[in-house]
Amino acid sequence: MLSRTADTLYWLARYVERAENTARIIDAALRLSALPVGYSGSSNEWESAVAATGNAELFAKLYGEATQATVVDFLAFSQENPSSIRSCLDIARANARAVRTALTIEMWETINGAWLEMKRFNGQTMTRPRLGEFLSFVKEASLRFDGSAHRTMLRNDAFDFFRIGIYLERADSTARILDVKYHVLLPEGEGVGGGLDYFQWSSILRAVSALTGYHWVYRESLKPWLVADLLILKREMPRSLTSCYENVSRHLDQLSRAYGRQGPSQRLARSTYARLVSMDIDAVFRQGLHEFLVEFIADNNKVGQAITEQYLV
């Protein structure tokens, strides 16, 4: 496969996944904003939404104050934000068009249809019910695209690059959402596990579609360390860091077998996966959740860079 084609498939997957993750972050902020004042922590829920995407500096430059209107416009519709939902779908559709022959008919129709549907929405007329409709559309479009890829793509190197892009982006998003919980949402002086926590952790679990999964796994009320355990270490949870890296490692190993050699990306991915598998949640908290997640995000970026240097340039 040409490196240009591999790169386009990889980023196509990442941008569709990023659009869905951003929609989930906005949805979580919208739920928190409906609660009484004080349940969102020391900063408002819209500031936390921007922080979770890693684009706080660009937002401050473009908008200043974080309100529902400014944050929704920035995260969903702004063309000056390369990670807004509109920008993600624009880039994803352009990438899909560039590698049209590497996609199945169902994949192309799904991404092209989502791109066309996006034109029906704009930030100027975004009432609360309309915003809910928009967020549902984005999540459903991503699920349809992912499902069509899973059901129709050949299990070859194109599929491997596509899935690697999804799982790297998903791992980054999960880690950032967890980090924001402890360092943006939790108010100063509030103990972890306090009454405030229930609402914050519920919003995070909903953001990653894990609220039902949490109760199936633990069968008890929400506890911060168990939520962290679910989203970091549980292989059964498809958005957990461990699950993402199990899949990244597997697809990189399949590429190494297909191409007849291994490289830095395989070694880095296996190292990250082995570290996650060998840890328990007590070890994570002893290190410090923030410190652990910052280190993980850096390691995830290193894996992405290694993949780029090994395969995509």
Side-chain angles (χ1 to χ4, degrees):
M1 174 180 288
L2 293 173
S3 60
R4 181 176 61 184
T5 302
D7 181 69
T8 303
L9 285 167
Y10 170 82
W11 283 106
L12 164 61
R14 290 200 69 158
Y15 276 110
V16 174
E17 182 71 19
R18 189 174 300 177
E20 180 189 351
N21 291 336
T22 301
R24 291 177 179 278
I25 288 168
I26 296 172
D27 188 44
L30 195 64
R31 291 176 185 276
L32 276 175
S33 71
L35 296 171
V37 175
Y39 283 115
S40 59
S42 58
S43 62
N44 74 52
E45 59 280 356
W46 298 108
E47 287 175 344
S48 74
V50 175
T53 65
N55 289 310
E57 186 176 336
L58 178 60
F59 176 83
K61 179 181 177 182
L62 294 175
Y63 293 88
E65 184 182 1
T67 65
Q68 177 175 328
T70 58
V71 171
V72 169
D73 185 65
F74 176 72
L75 293 183
F77 301 104
S78 175
Q79 294 182 323
E80 294 181 84
N81 176 12
S83 293
S84 71
I85 293 172
R86 182 182 298 281
S87 295
C88 286
L89 291 181
D90 284 345
I91 297 170
R93 195 260 187 179
N95 283 356
R97 187 175 182 182
V99 290
R100 176 68 183 83
T101 55
L103 304 181
T104 63
I105 293 172
E106 291 81 2
M107 291 174 70
W108 167 251
E109 288 179 345
T110 300
I111 193 64
N112 190 54
W115 180 74
L116 292 170
E117 184 75 6
M118 181 74 195
K119 297 179 182 297
R120 293 200 307 112
F121 298 95
N122 66 78
Q124 306 304 315
T125 60
M126 197 53 61
T127 61
R128 194 179 186 92
R130 183 68 168 167
L131 180 57
E133 178 188 347
F134 169 72
L135 297 175
S136 294
F137 146 70
V138 175
K139 289 184 282 187
E140 289 170 8
S142 176
L143 290 170
R144 287 197 304 271
F145 186 66
D146 187 45
S148 64
H150 190 75
R151 284 172 174 259
T152 63
M153 283 188 84
L154 288 174
R155 271 29 178 191
N156 56 12
D157 50 357
F159 183 75
D160 291 325
F161 283 116
F162 183 85
R163 301 308 294 182
I164 288 167
I166 287 174
Y167 290 118
L168 282 180
E169 188 67 33
R170 188 173 294 175
D172 181 81
S173 175
T174 298
R176 290 181 185 278
I177 289 172
L178 269 174
D179 192 37
V180 165
K181 157 60 187 168
Y182 268 95
H183 292 270
V184 177
L185 285 177
L186 193 66
E188 186 176 353
E190 178 76 17
V192 175
L196 187 61
D197 262 2
Y198 175 82
F199 300 100
Q200 295 173 1
W201 284 113
S202 293
S203 71
I204 287 172
L205 288 172
R206 289 180 185 278
V208 295
S209 292
L211 185 58
T212 300
Y214 175 91
H215 292 297
W216 282 350
V217 171
Y218 300 105
R219 300 188 181 278
E220 56 181 294
S221 60
L222 295 182
K223 293 181 172 60
W225 52 92
L226 294 181
V227 175
D229 182 60
L230 179 71
L231 297 185
I232 294 173
L233 301 178
K234 287 296 182 185
R235 293 171 57 201
E236 303 92 328
M237 174 61 204
R239 289 184 177 269
S240 74
L241 306 187
T242 301
S243 176
C244 288
Y245 260 83
E246 180 180 31
N247 284 285
V248 168
S249 297
R250 177 164 58 87
H251 286 290
L252 281 171
D253 286 344
Q254 288 173 188
L255 285 175
S256 71
R257 288 191 290 271
Y259 295 154
R261 64 176 183 176
Q262 298 188 7
S265 64
Q266 280 84 9
R267 290 190 289 273
L268 283 171
R270 280 199 215 104
S271 174
T272 301
Y273 177 55
R275 181 180 174 225
L276 289 166
V277 169
S278 66
M279 295 188 80
D280 58 31
I281 200 61
D282 292 334
V284 171
F285 278 96
R286 280 196 300 272
Q287 177 182 346
L289 182 61
H290 173 65
E291 290 74 16
F292 171 84
L293 292 171
V294 167
E295 184 178 343
F296 174 84
I297 291 168
D299 289 344
N300 192 56
N301 289 337
K302 288 177 185 175
V303 172
Q305 184 61 35
I307 292 169
T308 298
E309 293 172 0
Q310 187 173 337
Y311 293 113
L312 308 182
V313 294

